[in-house]
Amino acid sequence: MKALIADDEPLLAAHLKARLAELWPQLDIAGVAANGIEARDMFEVLRPDIAFLDIRMPGLSGLEVVQALSPEARKRCRVVFVTAYDEFAVQAFEREAVDYLLKPVADDRLRVAIERLQRASPGSAATQSDDLLLRLQALLPKPAEHLRWVRASVGNEVRLVATDEICYFQATDKYTAVFTRDAELLIRIPVKELLEQLDPEQFWQVHRGTLVNVRQIVAARHDALGRVTLKLKDRPEAVAVSRGHAHLFRQM
């Protein structure tokens, strides 16, 4: 029986993989995905029987990964959702579902999930997942309206810049620099505040002070020391990725 783990936090993914190896040695952990898009693609290749999906991941959430699967894949695969945030949802499901775990996953809770996974037939997976999806979607906060424009001062003018035209944001001493294809502008909104307002599927944090438009990324370059830099479609300079975010580009 094959399993897939998807989590954008590598240490927690490694922890879950190690605990599964200890508690369920017969289970083959066929792959570990670092984000939702990678998880969706690995589903097609690995065809796992069981998937442990983080709910909040860059690219696609765990819920969206399941929704993107073919009917055949959803029928075949039993899904366990994992989260570090939505404790209210965890409490709601504690009484009736084992396929929803709080990170870091505790051994006693994981044992219960394993026992129920082993009892569940593959044919019941689709119904179980569909039902869980509906209940989770009802409990989780509705998606926020994302920032589509930023206002940047240029001399005596205020320029409106569509976020689709922005290659990346980078924090400076007092402002945030906005890099478009043809210009470098300054805005007063801190990167931390932007991160909360931008579409997480479009902008990824790749460094403490840097948010990159995913659609701009052409390649990720890895040097001999393990450092990662990004090549963008419309900017000549390379954008540095911190070690803490390098896992986002492990497969590139």
Side-chain angles (χ1 to χ4, degrees):
M1 190 170 288
K2 292 190 296 185
L4 168 68
I5 294 174
D7 196 319
D8 63 326
E9 297 177 79
L11 292 179
L12 293 177
H15 169 78
L16 178 57
K17 183 179 180 181
R19 298 320 302 148
L20 284 169
E22 174 74 21
L23 300 174
W24 195 356
Q26 298 83 5
L27 185 67
D28 173 20
I29 307 298
V32 178
N35 56 61
I37 295 174
E38 203 174 288
R40 180 198 58 193
D41 295 343
M42 291 174 76
F43 254 101
E44 301 300 322
V45 177
L46 300 177
R47 298 172 58 82
D49 305 290
I50 295 171
F52 295 86
L53 303 178
D54 186 13
I55 283 190
R56 294 188 175 179
M57 293 185 288
L60 293 172
S61 71
L63 300 174
E64 291 168 331
V65 170
V66 174
Q67 288 173 317
L69 298 178
S70 66
E72 187 273 333
R74 293 177 66 177
K75 184 177 180 180
R76 180 186 65 249
C77 185
R78 281 152 278 179
V79 175
V80 176
F81 291 110
V82 186
T83 184
Y85 302 101
D86 303 296
E87 295 186 33
F88 66 94
V90 174
Q91 292 167 4
F93 283 98
E94 280 282 350
R95 289 174 293 182
E96 55 181 325
V98 296
D99 45 355
Y100 193 98
L101 301 172
L102 182 65
K103 295 190 290 186
V105 178
D107 277 3
D108 56 347
R109 190 69 171 84
L110 186 57
R111 285 193 185 93
V112 173
I114 290 171
E115 289 172 3
R116 294 192 180 181
L117 284 168
Q118 291 172 334
R119 288 201 301 268
S121 65
S124 67
T127 301
Q128 183 182 32
S129 295
D130 287 343
D131 182 51
L132 182 60
L133 278 171
L134 291 175
R135 286 181 287 160
L136 280 173
Q137 287 170 336
L139 285 168
L140 293 175
K142 301 300 180 187
E145 188 69 27
H146 298 121
L147 191 65
R148 297 301 178 197
W149 303 84
V150 296
R151 298 185 181 195
S153 297
V154 183
N156 294 326
E157 296 181 353
V158 175
R159 187 176 300 177
L160 287 176
V161 184
T163 54
D164 286 343
E165 298 176 4
I166 296 170
C167 301
Y168 66 101
F169 297 93
Q170 194 160 64
T172 66
D173 288 341
K174 296 181 180 178
Y175 302 98
T176 296
V178 180
F179 294 85
T180 67
R181 178 176 182 175
D182 304 313
E184 178 181 343
L185 310 168
L186 293 175
I187 60 174
R188 293 180 181 274
I189 308 174
V191 163
K192 182 179 179 182
E193 190 173 324
L194 283 169
L195 184 61
E196 296 171 353
Q197 297 181 40
L198 292 167
D199 182 351
E201 293 185 17
Q202 183 178 7
F203 285 89
W204 289 3
Q205 185 172 27
V206 299
H207 205 284
R208 183 177 181 183
T210 309
L211 308 177
V212 172
N213 188 338
V214 176
R215 297 166 189 163
Q216 279 284 319
I217 299 174
V218 174
R221 293 172 173 163
H222 304 252
D223 70 13
L225 298 177
R227 294 174 298 202
V228 180
T229 55
L230 302 178
K231 179 182 179 183
L232 303 186
K233 183 171 60 177
D234 293 327
R235 294 291 306 186
E237 67 274 18
V239 175
V241 177
S242 72
R243 291 188 182 277
H245 296 88
H247 64 276
L248 295 172
F249 307 98
R250 192 170 51 200
Q251 301 300 321
M252 294 184 68

